[in-house]
Amino acid sequence: MQQSGGAGALVAECADKNYVAKMSDYIIEGTVEKVESKWNEGKTAIFTHSDLTIEKYVKGTPFKQNKLKIVTPGGTVGGISQWVEDQPIFHEGKRVRIYFAETDGAFTIVCAQFGVEEL
């Protein structure tokens, strides 16, 4: 499963965890297994690919596999960094809770960085 990092447009409600939970179709907890930043095909942007093992579903029907690949804009390749405001940053070995919304089979993190908590 792959999903994007979420919309960068943050509203005041995103600071309220009840709002974030209400807007989520899935709330999962898991461990970040691998984080790797790569150039896109045209070498015009950097994206970070984070592999997550799901350990618990707080909300939503479990997926067929308990693995996620989360793709977020920004990262560092070689000596070049690209930072994208409001996007979550994942670290290998960290346990996280992530709030997802689903639209037409595509998943996004609700409220971008506010939709990810370290546990």
Side-chain angles (χ1 to χ4, degrees), residues 67-84:
K67 300 275 186 192
L68 283 179
K69 180 176 285 290
I70 300 169
V71 180
T72 50
T76 300
V77 176
I80 300 173
S81 294
Q82 179 180 5
W83 300 108
V84 179

Side-chain angles (χ1 to χ4, degrees), residues 31-107:
T31 300
V32 179
E33 302 295 339
K34 181 180 175 188
V35 177
E36 182 180 15
S37 295
K38 304 175 190 177
W39 286 103
N40 67 348
E41 219 172 277
K43 288 203 171 198
T44 57
I46 296 172
F47 289 88
T48 298
H49 301 254
S50 303
D51 294 336
L52 183 88
T53 298
I54 301 170
E55 296 154 3
K56 180 179 178 184
Y57 288 86
V58 178
K59 181 178 180 181
T61 304
F63 305 127
K64 290 180 182 176
Q65 296 182 7
N66 280 334
K67 300 275 186 192
L68 283 179
K69 180 176 285 290
I70 300 169
V71 180
T72 50
T76 300
V77 176
I80 300 173
S81 294
Q82 179 180 5
W83 300 108
V84 179
E85 187 176 15
D86 302 329
Q87 291 302 305
I89 298 172
F90 295 96
H91 302 280
E92 287 182 13
K94 294 288 185 182
R95 290 194 68 245
V96 292
R97 176 180 293 138
I98 305 175
Y99 299 78
F100 290 108
E102 180 181 9
T103 306
D104 298 326
F107 295 83

Side-chain angles (χ1 to χ4, degrees), residues 23-36:
M23 299 305 293
S24 300
D25 297 309
Y26 294 91
I27 302 172
I28 57 105
E29 294 179 358
T31 300
V32 179
E33 302 295 339
K34 181 180 175 188
V35 177
E36 182 180 15

